[in-house]
Each structure stands twice: as C-alpha cells, then as structure tokens.
Amino acid sequence: MEIDALNNKIIIIKDESKNSLLDEINSKKQLINYKIITLSELKKKYFFDYNEKAIFYICKKYNINLDISRIYLENLYFINNKIDDEKVNFLYDLKQELINNSLLITNNLFKKFLTNKDIILYNLKYVDKFYKNIFDELKLNNNVVEINNEKENDIKDLYEAKNIEEEISFVASKICELIKNGIDINNIKIANVNESNCFIIAKTFKIFNIPVDLPSFSTINGTKIVKKFKEFYTDDINETFKKLQPFVKSNNDNKVFKQLINIVNKYSFTNYLDCKDLIYEEIEKTKIEDIKHNNSVKVIDIMNSIVSDNDYVFLINYNEGIIPHNYKDEDYLSDKLKQQLNISDSYDLNLNSMNELKSSIKNIKHLIVTYSKYNKKNDEIYISPSYEEDMFIKHEVNIDYDNSNLYNKLKLVSLKDENYKYGEITDDLITLNNHYKNEKYLDYNNKFKGIDKSKLYEYLDKKLTLSYTSVNSYYECAFKYYLDYILKLNKYEDTFATVIGTIFHEILSKAFYENYDFENNWNEEINACKYEFNNMEKFFLVMLKDELKLIIDTIKNQLNYTSLKKSMYEKQINIEINKNLHIYFTGIIDKVLYDEIDGETIAVIIDYKTGNPKLDLKYIPYGLEMQLPIYIYLLKNSNVIDNVRIGGFYLQKIINSDRDISKRINNLKLQGYSNTDINILEKVDSSYENSQMIKGLKTTNTGFNKSAKLLNDDEIEELFNLVDSKIKEASDDIINAKFDINPKQVNNVNFGCRYCKYKDICFMKYDDIKILNIENGDVNND
C-alpha cells in the first residue's frame, strides 16, 4: 500500500482494522494528513448515536435487560418508515419516542463536513448492504475511491493435524524454526484464536518458550475488586469507591478499579440504586484488559488486519463451524424483513464472509494454514467450507523434535501411553525413546507441593470462616477441603432433594408459633424457591405436603411431654475463634427448646435431618462426624442463652419412606443423647420411663435399658472441649496451608474418598491413606 495515496483523504475503514492501519502508517515514518472514520463512527455520525440514558430509559420502560435494549437501539438504524410488520412498527414508534425525549444524539454538521471531500473506502468490498447504501449516497457529492488491496500470492501450504493439541504443537515448532532463521518474532502472527483453543496455545507456547499476546476472554466480574465493589455497593457511589480503595493493591487491581469507574460514570445521570442491575450486567460483559508485551507473537483477525509482506501468519483451526462465521436467520429482524429494508440477510452475510476469507488467504504472502481431523471427543470434524483445492497444497503434520526438550519428553510419555494401552509402536516412539533412555515412566509423585501461607491469607481476604461441613471435609481429607473451599471447584446446584430439604426446614421454623397457617406458608415457600418442578416432582410434592402435615402434628404432640416451653428456630450463631487472624466459626441450629427451671437454663438442641442420621461419637477425637456436638459448641460459646445446661442433643429424621403411618410417627422420635441427670431428664421428657419423644429411651427394673444414650454433665463438657480443640486445630492447619492428600479410613470405611469427586485430580495412593483404628462403641462405653 502506498501511504502517499492516503494523504489529504478521509479513510473509512472497519472498526477492527483501524489499529492495523495506524500501525502500518506509523511504520512508514511519513508525515501525511488524513482522517480515519470507522464504520461504527460513520453510522453514529451519519444517523444518530445513543448513550446510557437511552439504554436506561428503554430498560426501565419495557422491563428488559441491557442486551435486549441494545438490540432495539441497534436495529433503529434500519427503520425509517412503518410497514406491515409488528416488529418494524414497534421500532419505528420507539425511535420517534426517543427522538421526542431527546435521547438520540444527532450530528447535523457531519454530512456537510463530508461534502466535496476525497474519501477512500478501505477494504470494504464485503460489508453489509446498509453501509453500501451510505457509500452510494457519499458518491453523489464526493470523490470516492475504493481500495481493496486484493492480490494473488502463491498457493498456500495447508497442514492436516490429528487434533488441536498436535496442530498447535506443529505451529509452535514452525515458529521456532522461523525465529532460528532470523525472522523477527514481532512479524509472526497467529489468526483465528478463540476461547476454546486459547488455553492450549498458552500451554503449548510456554513449553516451546514462545512469548505470545493472547486475548483475554475472562471478564472482570470474577475479580476480587468487583466482589468487594458489589459488597460495598450503595446509592452513595463515592463512599463505595472509598471503601474499595484499600483493596486495590496491584497493577491489575488498579486496571479493574479504573474500568469500574468508567462503567459507573456512564450512569451518573440517575440514582445508583436504580441502575444497579444495569451496572452489574455491564460488569459481566467487560473483559479484563489484554496484557501486551514487546517481542512476542501477536494474535490477529485475518479478515480485519492489515498484513505486510514481512509478516508470517499462521491461520489455525481452519475447520467447518469455526471459520468463516456461519450467520443464521435468528436475529431480531428476520431475513425476510431485512430484504424488505434493503440490508444484508444471513445469505448475503455468509457469502460475504466466505469470499472475504478466501481473499484474505490469497492476499497474505507468508501464510501457513492448519486444521484438525478430530475434536477433543475424538469425533471427526471437517475442513472449512471455504477450502478450494486450487488454493492449497496439502501436507500432513510432521513436528520437528529440535525445538523443545520439554515437549519431546511429554510427547515420549504420550507415545509410551499409546504403546502401554494398545501396543502401538511408531518411528517417533523409537526415536525419542533412544534419545531419552533414562526418562522415568509410570512414576508419578502426587504429593501436594504446598502453597505460601501468606499468599493464601491474602487470597482469603485476611479472614477465614468455617462451618461443620468445611471442618468435617478438612478432617476427611485436607486436600479435598483445599479443592472445595479454597479453589472452589465444587459447584453447588439445586436438586429436588435439596430444595425439599430447604422448604421443610423453613416451614418447620415457623410451624409452632400461634396463628400459624400451614396452607399459606406452604404456597409461599413453593413459589419462593425459584426451582422449576417437573411433572414427576409435582406429583411427589402432593405426598410430601401430607407428610409435612404429619410431621408437624407429631412434633406438636411430642412437645406435650417437655417442660421446656421457650424455643428458637433456624438460629445462626457466629463464633470468633481468633481475633487477630479474623477466624470465625458459623452454624445454624434448627431448633432449641429451653427454659429457666429452678434457677438454671436447660436447653435441648434438635437438628432436622432429611437423610439417615449418624449418631456415633467415637469419631470426634479425629474431627469426624462432629455435627451434633458442634451445636453444643455453638450454643455454649455464644451469648444466646446464659449459663446454659445441656439437657440433650438430638437429630430428628423428618422424611421417612415407610408406608405404615405408625412406623413413620415412631421414626420421628428424637435420636441422640440425653443428660443422665433424672432431674434434668424429666424436664426434657416427662415420658422418659417409656419415652414418647426420644428413641430408645426407656427404664427397666435395674435402670435404663441398653439402647438409651446418656451422658452426664462432665461428659458433655468433655465433648464441648474436644470439639473446641478440633475446630481450633483445623483452623490453625488451614491458615498454615496444610493441604496434604490424607484421606482418613476408619474400620475399613474410607471417609475421605467415599463421596469424593476429585479422584482424577489427586491420584490418591494407598500410602496416602491415614488408617484410624477405633474400637466399636461410643465414647461413653454404653
């Protein structure tokens, strides 16, 4: 391209090509006078622009989200008259409404500015008809020249790889060869990079020690700064940013902080609580800024970048469904409507995209094209539909082993795997195996290598909150805790069972107050749960509703046998374990029955269970199965009840599958441990001699029967102290980043691995298992 040809010209260009053209002009180091107008700038200045005021107006008036609002606004450019179509007429009315409310920004001088100018349409041969209509108007009053830079270079090399991993490894190897031959790395480009192959490129290029500037596909939404921003968000946005400022500690934090300010400033015209949802939506779409390096491979868009004859380009993923983009008739305006409005439909767009890709391939002097035969699932995939035999010379991928020692070793292991599984012997296996004779195989050290505890504490925002579930997970296996609660790999999803459990707990927290209306409460909870029940689940809901009525009636009957008339439900308690390190323990107690009797406060703790209750206390010295004693810890450590004396602690199984109603009622009896003091016990359960409340509690001529579970005050205090020490021990170990793979096995039951989802991550060996030998029986030896 001759730079002089652009002097004293207005250059209209694609948005994506602007930076490439500027780089090309600047590289020539010539002083020329020019003005660049991108297509989006042309559209906005030629017709109208809009800002967040218009978006906000549409979102609020029509109760729609940010995306839909922008779709409406973008389609207004195509609407000038009403026709016999509901969508078009809606857009026409909306456009007039926005004009009347001064919400569309017009530039009345722009068309006059363009008059009698020399205009260059730069590489715009394959644009939408909408823009071609504008160009036709410009040609009436201006000297308009089209420059398309189309040229026919040599036939290109096309390489077929087995899969994307082999394809990217081949590209990396070829780049190494180019650099060895003196090609400047800044002239090496890679095209057609997308989110699905970005990780593979980053991993492979690192193995070959090739720096590459990859685009960011992550948004700022998941960053610590944004999480804190949402935590501090109020209508006083200045106060929000003031609270956020201390958490901005790195250069990346500062970038996100500035991005947040830019987003928020767009909505300064309204109350920040009114536009909160729109700000959050915009945050979810705002990409983390790309990191640029000197002397690195650059990623380009092959159809929108200006490529010089000194550049070497690798077009990867030349597969069907990936390139060119496939447009479908699924836009807000259908193809039929687009034809009526004289703008490009999906057929036109696909044809343009196909021809533009072919033209781009032909235009690049130094180009290597690669594609894969199989995807990650090993399903066959096909070459791009833009492929034509006379454009390419086809080759099979052949990777040179002179460019990366690390890659060679990894490849050798992969080939050995193929040989181990299928007996396959290849020339590459023989070559690499002869070269790396002493490389170990099937010898893997799965030990957790550790992390810096100060960095962990920073990552945790200098605080740690534990619960029964997290502590139990830590004692089952410290590495499982690390994956669940530090890396947060375990994504929680609602199921029918979990939703029902939540509904039952909510209703049982309200069912025993005066003037309770079961029907209303049931309907409220069903409507509030935001879970879509299928037909089978709706059928079960009818039966579960009757079951819950039976549960409530049975519990009301049980309450007739206790002297403890005060109650608390769904009581959340937070305990500060370590003030200096900000370590807390939190839990919710389903139900506490209590009363002050004879100068002391007696309390009974009850936890509702939808599954099978576990009652053994023998595992507690090892931090396992501590749920019931943890409720004692929470209650005695808090100021909810002063000078509390534990009368008992129980689980109550609230969903039973037995058909016999009498057995279901019997199964609703409390299961757990009672205070052995008769004076206390009779206040907890007046029927203790043949209990109607507590399962297994009964007296005989010689005392309590063997099935009664009883603890004295000293034993209860011992449990409290033991739980306290195990919680502190776990918190200390977590803060000190002790996350070894150490699943606990007790009496042939592997607590750490039995329900674990991470076996493919930890590669647990038998030596990792911690064997705990516990004799049968409870701690009180009953």
Side-chain angles (χ1 to χ4, degrees), residues 474-528:
Y474 184 80
Y475 280 113
E476 284 182 345
C477 175
F479 189 66
K480 181 168 74 171
Y481 171 92
Y482 173 70
L483 298 178
D484 268 340
Y485 294 94
I486 304 299
L487 299 186
K488 296 179 174 60
L489 300 185
N490 187 15
K491 185 179 179 181
Y492 176 81
E493 292 182 357
D494 279 331
T495 64
F496 181 64
T498 60
V499 169
I500 290 301
T502 301
I503 291 172
F504 272 46
H505 274 75
E506 285 295 321
I507 290 177
L508 288 170
S509 71
K510 302 166 185 172
F512 306 107
Y513 293 117
E514 291 183 12
N515 304 317
Y516 174 72
D517 188 327
F518 176 81
E519 290 294 332
N520 280 342
N521 192 199
W522 172 266
N523 292 331
E524 284 173 2
E525 295 299 336
I526 294 294
N527 293 330

Side-chain angles (χ1 to χ4, degrees), residues 120 181 220 223 226 233 439 498 553 597 637:
I120 292 175
N181 291 328
I220 64 174
T223 61
V226 167
Y233 195 100
E439 283 299 307
T498 60
D553 291 341
I597 301 175
N637 252 331

Side-chain angles (χ1 to χ4, degrees), residues 707-736:
S707 62
K709 294 181 179 294
L710 300 169
L711 297 173
N712 60 39
D713 286 331
D714 290 339
E715 289 169 324
I716 293 173
E717 186 68 18
E718 184 183 338
L719 275 178
F720 166 78
N721 291 328
L722 186 55
V723 169
D724 180 70
S725 69
K726 298 309 292 184
I727 289 173
K728 287 177 180 175
E729 179 186 321
S731 67
D732 288 344
D733 287 348
I734 291 167
I735 286 295
N736 286 305

Side-chain angles (χ1 to χ4, degrees), residues 340-392:
Q340 289 180 257
L341 297 168
N342 196 27
I343 55 178
S344 295
D345 60 13
S346 60
Y347 175 81
D348 295 328
L349 293 171
N350 283 321
L351 186 61
N352 280 346
S353 183
M354 183 77 74
N355 290 330
E356 188 169 17
L357 175 59
K358 290 178 183 178
S359 175
S360 299
I361 290 171
K362 292 174 182 178
N363 285 346
I364 299 173
K365 183 176 181 180
H366 304 293
L367 177 70
I368 289 178
V369 183
T370 62
Y371 75 102
S372 299
K373 282 193 70 175
Y374 300 96
N375 62 18
K376 291 179 181 179
K377 297 179 181 178
N378 212 31
D379 298 324
E380 187 175 3
I381 52 178
Y382 303 101
I383 199 167
S384 168
S386 65
Y387 168 76
E388 292 178 2
E389 283 189 11
D390 61 356
M391 291 170 59
F392 298 101

Side-chain angles (χ1 to χ4, degrees), residues 383-422:
I383 199 167
S384 168
S386 65
Y387 168 76
E388 292 178 2
E389 283 189 11
D390 61 356
M391 291 170 59
F392 298 101
I393 299 173
K394 259 189 168 184
H395 312 271
E396 285 189 6
V397 160
N398 185 20
I399 299 175
D400 191 338
Y401 291 120
D402 293 335
N403 297 309
S404 171
N405 194 47
L406 178 56
Y407 173 79
N408 296 349
K409 291 181 179 182
L410 291 171
K411 182 67 176 178
L412 175 58
V413 171
S414 175
L415 293 171
K416 283 184 175 181
D417 285 343
E418 295 294 312
N419 175 257
Y420 179 78
K421 293 175 184 176
Y422 311 113

Side-chain angles (χ1 to χ4, degrees), residues 547 656-661 663-664 667:
E547 179 70 15
N656 299 283
S657 58
D658 206 301
R659 292 185 179 183
D660 189 324
I661 191 169
K663 290 183 179 179
R664 297 214 305 276
N667 285 334

Side-chain angles (χ1 to χ4, degrees), residues 1-34:
M1 178 189 66
E2 295 294 332
I3 296 299
D4 289 339
L6 304 180
N7 198 28
N8 296 316
K9 304 291 193 303
I10 293 174
I11 307 160
I12 299 177
I13 194 168
K14 286 185 181 180
D15 294 51
E16 301 87 353
S17 304
K18 180 178 179 179
N19 289 335
S20 291
L21 179 59
L22 287 172
D23 290 342
E24 179 76 4
I25 293 172
N26 292 334
S27 70
K28 302 298 182 181
K29 297 181 181 179
Q30 292 179 235
L31 290 175
I32 63 170
N33 181 34
Y34 64 93

